[in-house]
Amino acid sequence: MNRERNDILDRLPRTDGMTVPEGYFDTFAASMMDRLPAKHAEKAPQKRTLWMKIRPYAYMAAMFGGIWLMMWMFGDIAGTTSYKRMADNPTIARVLASDQVYQYYDTDIDQYDLLEELYEDGYTPASFHIDDQYN
């Protein structure tokens, strides 16, 4: 049986379409150099400023600060962050040690009544500067 070969590649011409004129690459380098702009003289290296010298260290410090804040925030969300006691804060300790803070302390009084009594005594939100009162 005489089979006819039906190979599609045999039907196509054997050129790939990538042809260049004769002698094109002989003058290619010279013609490309003619088309490029003239090279300018190289600039002297820029003097390094103080900021250029410390910039990597500043970026690294900012990165570690960000990581520390992120870890603190995640610890705060998870409830594992330890807070300072109020008595360790010198301003709060000074207020708690004075007798003036306890004259408004009562377990049977609600917040509205407390604010009303403070306003009657002449206190306003602007007058609550703890450091000014106890220094």
Side-chain angles (χ1 to χ4, degrees), residues 9 19 72 85:
L9 293 177
T19 58
W72 186 83
R85 297 180 315 136

Side-chain angles (χ1 to χ4, degrees), residues 43-62:
K43 295 178 182 178
Q46 185 179 7
K47 184 181 176 188
R48 291 187 59 175
T49 62
L50 178 65
W51 172 244
M52 292 173 79
K53 292 176 185 175
I54 65 169
R55 184 172 36 193
Y57 302 109
Y59 290 162
M60 188 169 42

Side-chain angles (χ1 to χ4, degrees), residues 40-132:
H40 298 290
E42 290 187 26
K43 295 178 182 178
Q46 185 179 7
K47 184 181 176 188
R48 291 187 59 175
T49 62
L50 178 65
W51 172 244
M52 292 173 79
K53 292 176 185 175
I54 65 169
R55 184 172 36 193
Y57 302 109
Y59 290 162
M60 188 169 42
M63 179 191 67
F64 283 120
I67 290 171
W68 179 80
L69 286 174
M70 182 179 60
M71 297 298 285
W72 186 83
M73 182 184 71
F74 289 144
D76 188 37
I77 290 171
T80 58
T81 305
S82 62
Y83 292 100
K84 287 184 175 181
R85 297 180 315 136
M86 286 180 37
D88 291 341
N89 187 332
T91 304
I92 295 175
R94 209 173 35 228
V95 170
L96 292 175
S98 70
D99 292 335
Q100 189 175 7
V101 75
Y102 294 110
Q103 68 183 353
Y104 297 108
Y105 180 73
D106 191 3
T107 57
D108 297 334
I109 194 167
D110 66 339
Q111 184 178 3
Y112 178 77
D113 291 336
L114 177 63
L115 290 174
E116 189 69 31
E117 191 175 336
L118 285 170
Y119 283 126
E120 287 174 4
D121 288 345
Y123 287 101
T124 62
S127 67
F128 287 110
H129 293 287
I130 295 172
D131 291 335
D132 295 340

